[in-house]
Amino acid sequence: MADRGCPLEAAPLPAEVRESLAELELELSEGDITQKGYEKKRAKLLARYVPLIQGVDPSLQAESRIPGPSQTTASAPQQQKSRSTNSRDERFRSDVHTEAVQAALARYKERKMPMPSKRRSVLVHSSVETYTPPDTSSASEDEGSFRRPGRLTSTLLQSHSSVEPWLDRVIQGSSTSSSASSTSSHPGGRPTTAPSAAATPGAAAAIALTGLAAHTHIDLHSAPPDVTTGLMEHSHYERPQVASVRGVPRGYSGSVLETADGVPVNSRVSSKIQQLLNTLKRPKRPPLKEFFVDDFEELLGVPQPDPNQPKPEGNQMGVLKGEPLALGTPWPPSLLAALQRWGTTQPKAPCLTALDTTGKAMCTLTYGKLWSRSLKLAYTLLNKLTSKNEPLLKPGDRVALVFPNSDPVMFMVAFYGCLLAELVPVPIEVPLTRKDAGSQQVGFLLGSCGVALALTTDACQKGLPKAQTGEVATFKGWPPLTWLVIDGKHLAKPPKDWHPLAQDAGARTAYIEYKTSKEGSTVGVTVSHASLLAQCRALTQACGYSEAETLTNVLDFKRDAGLWHGVLTSVVNRMHVVSVPYALMKVNPLSWIQKVCSYKAQAALVKSRDMHWSLLAQRGQRDISLSSLRMLIVADGANPWSISSCDAFLNVFQSRGLRPEVICPCASSPEALTVAIRRPPDLGGPPPRKAVLSMHGLSYGVIRVDTEEKLSVLTVQDVGQAMPGANVCVVKVEGTPYLCKTDEVGEICVNSSATGTAYYGLLGITKNIFETVPVTAEGVPVSDRPFTRTGLLGFIGPDNLVFIVGKLDGLMVVGVRRHNADDVVATALAVEPMKFVYRGRIAVFSVTVLHDDRIVLVAEQRPDASEEDSFQWMSRVLQAVDSIHQVGVYCLALVPANTLPKAPLGGIHISETKQRFLEGMLHPCNVLMCPHTCVTNLPKPRQKQPEVGPASMIVGNLVAGKRIAQASGRELAHLEDSDQARKFLFLADVLQWRAHTTPDHPLFLLLNAKGTVTSTATCVQLHKRAERVAAALTEKGRLSVGDHVALVYPPGVDLIAAFYGCLYCGCVPVTVRPPHPQNLGTTLPTVKMIVEVSKSACVLTTQTIARLLKSREAAAAVDVRTWPTVLDTDDIPKKKVAGIFRPPSPDVLAYLDFSVSTTGILAGVKVAWGFEPTIFKGSKCDI
């Protein structure tokens, strides 16, 4: 690090001098010393070695340093020295990528591109405290810190000899504004004299970068120009253009223009005359097929493919087989069997150590305590919870686990207690407020899973939002929950003769892990007991876990790798897990390294974010040793930018015992669990590899190896080999899952016994994700077993190593090119000034405009940023994104600090941010819209047909009433002529059958205006209520088969129960909308009319509406004495009907459907019993 940016490579320096220089650079990057102090101390260190460097002035060595990520400041832990309040956590940072961005911006500087002038904003910036600990500096929900050390390249040194003619061409054309308030052009000046050839390349690069600030004041008073003008000169082949006469620049020197249809026109001929000639040359009648294309689709411009775009050229890849699972190794029959074994034979062995916010061991859970507490909880759940003298829970029911990230002990007890009770745990995040981002989607998941009980601790329950009654508040969209505190005093001790049911690793669901999709919806991934055990076995073999090893876990223990390693696999191998809470990492980022040293941990589970925070806080720690580590598992290794933190962490801590082969990135997904993991050489892993790939090629899904000297490159590291016992392949992202070629990027698919099984309750998308069958180019399936899609984009490299370049959730398809949201975030963060974005909080997503994705970038700006600084930074971001990615940004919005919605661990909630943007609830303080650089498929002007064409003839025939075609749906499957087929012929029979086979399946949920569930109805509940209604009609109403009954109910479960009650006793229901209490004069006569026309013998309704029908206000509108018998169903007795009516033939009348048209005409439709099942079978669909 000492020789970065200067020609010190000519003379070798002693190790102690290089270490001092490295510490000096780190002090500068952390803001502990000024630039002047840095240069002074550095010159003093190099004083004795300066004569060895011929022809180099010491001052130039300092000046040649190019601003990079190492010069930005960062937040420090509280016990560290107080630092600048402008500190920020560097996200997605890479020195090489930063140089590329600065080089791209330098080109614009040479063109004298002016910056936008100051705008006035209607939103006043609020004062926000600038210092915050480095906890929430996240640009996405998957947190990570990305900073890549690398050597400086010479790409910043431009060829100044060709600048003047190039600049002259730019000055000749006028530019259109890229913002809503700018329309004028601005002529640029000529560049300054190029540096002399005697200057060093580093000094020339520094002069090239600092020139922009020297000339900025010239442009402050000019009208803001198009900040993206000039981009087309080098990227026009990437973006299709809509040719138009209106877009011809005033200084255009060519002699050929283009009309709106792309026809060449001589500049001496009027464009209108030329358009008229072109119209006369066209055929009078267009082709017939043009009349059968959607009108709007026809008007949109179609992007033409680039003939020079790269295409895959390799051979078709095959299926990659992982190493076989080890045979002959004794393995427990199930996870619970392993827990019972260690809990009874090794009761005092440490299982889990929890730390408090000071870093002290708060509690150590032994295997004996874990076994006994889990047994108590299982016994309590099965025997002590009752509802109406019936057990509240039955085996297979789902239970929510609501525990904070600082209490792994109680979570582990709750998780294993549920497994012992044969319940299905559903871990979720603790809801802090009623309006948490994504809380409503989590409530939908709980409701769809039928969760009625939530387990938590006493301390956590006290911190939950409370209602006025003192009970836990009902969260928006959540089902009604019973909260159970599982602290020791609330659990019952089981009898000595009580034992949980025998557990085996079968296909039953073990637990459900939630996952939030790209659009914000939350789904539950089910993991079976067999998959759970297979995952533990594969991780044990891949990571070489053995008994009594110590694992330091920094991740969330409720899901993903934190759960698989720290809660499940650790118990199988009797390991000791030291859990470092997130709150401790905010206070002391070095805490996990200190625990590795104190506990002599053999393995550690971290994210690249944790590694980066450690780099910022490690100065002054001399007693750190990482020699005990044999595996440092980087859980977010699938993020391409994690290589930055890995390399930087190795460079700093290699002198403190960290071996290079210890760092093991891995890739995982909720659906496929662990996909791949790098293994040390002693476990049979090949040497690690890196790939420098062209971003231009990746945008077309093609792998092209490049060099780091290029601007648009992405350096990725491998995530190891496939898991033991797994088969891996790469398929095309869209359409039929064809196998990709060897140089093509696709979606990773895994076939293994250690993957998720389904999305709970979603059979349709389950089949698409968990039952994918990859096929060859000839359409032949590659295997007889289905594969699981992982949502990871990548390829298989040398030595069968897996490389990941992005995720489907972050994919943005603009035109025909793919862009990754994380790559755009990294480019934006590399734009000067890097301290502009508040703690690196940037969200990038896409919105659909004219049937195509458009990129939106939202960032939090620092509280002290002025509008002038904001628009200058935004304009530089537009230029950098266009140069690096060759794509335009549709909207760039800046919001005040700490206003974007946050994910549970502090990152930005991307889907919630997108939703606020679409709803207009983002409330930005600065906005820069650039639709003209992004929306290139604008509609073409409509053309009036000169005469009657085929489309007009078709419309004429339709108006005349002629039938020119007909459509028919697919035929329903014919019922077999058997007793079993006739058994469920009618709707009432189906409800009886469902009440016996699936009694607890929820059929209906009634929500109020606030989204809260007010009532529910399962199959058996609806059946019993229908029986009560049928008995009341028969006994109290004295009705017979065929009598008409008016159902005057508001929409809800009561209406449905009354409808089926009528079917049960053979009456004909007539549904009627109830009268409005505030408008009886208008609505009550309609009810009266329907009752009379339908000849209803009885009116079924609620007690409230029954009183309203006979009230004094109703008497003023209708004659209340002529109402038929009115029965309310609120307090009907619990009686069963003697026999359920079954129609003698399908043609018997089932119900009447009345409706009033807008002209006041009442019409009724008779629906027969045989018609009902036909409708429902025809409309049956599978989501």
Side-chain angles (χ1 to χ4, degrees), residues 47-164:
R48 69 179 70 178
Y49 305 103
V50 169
L52 300 177
I53 308 171
Q54 300 296 332
V56 177
D57 189 279
S59 61
L60 289 179
Q61 298 176 14
E63 292 174 359
S64 62
R65 299 182 73 258
I66 300 174
S70 61
Q71 293 186 6
T72 59
T73 57
S75 302
Q78 293 182 1
Q79 76 269 17
Q80 295 289 333
K81 182 180 177 180
S82 178
R83 290 168 185 163
S84 170
T85 57
N86 289 331
S87 61
R88 64 177 289 269
D89 184 18
E90 298 173 1
R91 303 276 305 156
F92 296 84
R93 295 310 307 276
S94 163
D95 286 349
V96 175
H97 191 67
T98 301
E99 297 167 26
V101 172
Q102 300 301 336
L105 293 176
R107 293 182 176 179
Y108 287 87
K109 183 268 303 182
E110 293 175 357
R111 300 179 190 182
K112 295 294 181 183
M113 288 306 304
M115 296 300 172
S117 61
K118 182 177 180 181
R119 276 86 161 168
R120 301 300 299 173
S121 175
V122 295
L123 181 61
V124 180
H125 296 244
S126 58
S127 176
V128 182
E129 184 177 353
T130 57
Y131 175 76
T132 43
D135 59 336
T136 59
S137 55
S138 174
S140 64
E141 292 149 22
D142 293 329
E143 293 189 339
S145 180
F146 309 93
R147 179 182 174 207
R148 182 191 316 172
R151 61 181 184 83
L152 292 179
T153 62
S154 59
T155 56
L156 293 178
L157 188 59
Q158 305 296 328
S159 177
H160 294 274
S161 59
S162 60
V163 168
E164 293 190 9

